[in-house]
Amino acid sequence: MTMSLISQREFRNNSAAVMDAVEAGETFRITRNGVEVAEVRPVPRRRRLTAEELVSRHKRLPQVDAAELRRDSDEHFGDDRLDATDPWERSRG
């Protein structure tokens, strides 16, 4: 990764070229009156996962016990409900 030092004026006057270079992987430190004030660098790109990778990750997730989650939630937030149609209280069948 290359790093270049440029002035605010140079950045302003050549912003399209600077952004092209950033897109290609270069990093720029911007100066104002000779003092470094900013850094412009590429955003890390995340690789898209395949459907198989997503399924594999999903299978490794921990199992959640809904009743235990409800008890923990009630203990932490209180068990007063706003209405009787709480979806957590519906029978699962």
Side-chain angles (χ1 to χ4, degrees), residues 6-58:
I6 61 172
S7 69
Q8 178 183 4
R9 177 178 295 190
E10 185 179 351
F11 178 58
R12 181 189 66 224
N13 292 341
N14 301 308
S15 62
V18 169
M19 296 308 287
D20 288 343
V22 169
E23 191 173 32
E26 192 169 343
T27 297
F28 290 85
R29 292 242 171 133
I30 314 299
T31 63
R32 179 187 290 160
N33 299 321
V35 177
E36 292 183 22
V37 294
E39 184 173 274
V40 180
R41 59 185 162 85
V43 174
R45 302 243 184 239
R46 295 180 86 184
R47 183 178 67 80
R48 288 183 164 225
L49 300 175
T50 65
E52 292 79 18
E53 290 169 322
L54 290 171
V55 168
S56 175
R57 282 185 176 196
H58 182 268

